[in-house]
């Protein structure tokens, strides 16, 4: 029984320690400002600034600024929630959140459900003394392992890519 429960915990913990290949870090990409729009418009990003960090969906990239629909900010007085332009000079890097596929969620859910059913049955048969307790233990274990598998797979499907903005020619180091 311990092996089955340990397998479920291993599945749930795998995403937090980066054991899935999809979670492997990629080196930062260096791009020019004029290449930025085709990569990030319509996507959720996180931008570290000298006044704090802002997160939100990119609405447009202009010659002098980046327009962001800010959802989270660490400096609400400087960058309030909603549509806010961020000066080009302030943006030196962008963290782009991408979703690669659904394979991790599908596989994680299937493995989690299978693990949950087997572990739940084992617990219900050998770990309880009444039918009601057995049904409850089986159901709780199956649901918890299925959800754990889904969330582990979801983290495997997500990928965060660092984009570093090259300074404009003749602008010197930023």
């Amino acid at each position: 029984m311990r092996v089955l429960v340990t397998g479920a915990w291993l599945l749930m913990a795998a995403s937090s320690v980066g054991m899935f290949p999809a979670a492997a870090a990629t080196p930062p990409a260096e791009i020019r400002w004029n290449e930025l729009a085709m990569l990030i418009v319509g996507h959720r990003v996180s931008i570290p600034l000298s006044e704090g960090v802002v997160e939100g969906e990119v609405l447009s990239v202009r010659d002098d600024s980046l327009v962001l629909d800010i959802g989270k900010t660490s400096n609400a007085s400087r960058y309030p929630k909603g549509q806010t332009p961020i000066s080009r000079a302030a943006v030196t890097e962008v963290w782009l959140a991408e979703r690669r596929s659904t394979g991790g969620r599908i596989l994680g859910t299937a493995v989690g459900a299978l693990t949950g059913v087997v572990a739940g049955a084992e617990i219900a048969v050998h770990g309880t003394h009444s039918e009601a307790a057995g049904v409850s233990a089986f159901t709780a274990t199956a649901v918890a392992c299925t959800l754990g598998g889904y969330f582990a797979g979801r983290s495997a499907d997500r990928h965060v890519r660092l984009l570093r903005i090259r300074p404009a020619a003749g602008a010197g180091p930023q």
Side-chain angles (χ1 to χ4, degrees):
M1 179 171 88
R2 287 185 182 181
V3 172
L4 297 174
V5 175
T6 304
W9 282 108
L10 181 62
L11 175 68
M12 290 186 284
S15 65
S16 65
V17 294
M19 294 179 82
F20 289 105
T26 57
E30 293 211 9
I31 61 170
R32 292 188 208 105
W33 185 264
N34 61 355
E35 300 169 331
L36 193 59
M38 70 177 129
L39 296 172
I40 67 170
V41 170
H43 292 279
R44 294 199 54 79
V45 297
S46 177
I47 304 173
L49 303 168
S50 59
E51 302 91 15
V53 177
V54 294
E55 295 179 19
E57 182 180 344
V58 178
L59 301 175
S60 68
V61 178
R62 300 177 182 159
D63 289 338
D64 61 339
S65 65
L66 182 136
V67 180
L68 198 65
D69 185 11
I70 296 178
K72 284 177 149 180
T73 180
S74 61
N75 186 348
S77 61
R78 176 75 173 103
Y79 297 103
K81 288 185 178 184
Q83 293 184 14
T84 306
I86 300 172
S87 131
R88 177 180 179 170
V91 180
T92 59
E93 62 184 35
V94 175
W95 291 89
L96 175 63
E98 300 174 314
R99 188 173 277 165
R100 288 187 165 175
S101 67
T102 59
R105 282 175 284 175
I106 293 169
L107 181 62
T109 303
V111 170
L114 180 63
T115 303
V117 167
V118 172
E122 183 71 22
I123 291 168
V125 170
H126 298 292
T128 60
H129 300 292
S130 71
E131 186 176 334
V135 169
S136 297
F138 172 79
T139 304
T141 304
V143 169
C145 288
T146 302
L147 287 173
Y150 170 81
F151 286 110
R154 186 177 77 168
S155 72
D157 289 339
R158 288 184 179 171
H159 178 71
V160 176
R161 194 165 82 170
L162 173 60
L163 304 173
R164 289 209 173 114
I165 313 301
R166 285 189 207 152
Q174 285 185 333

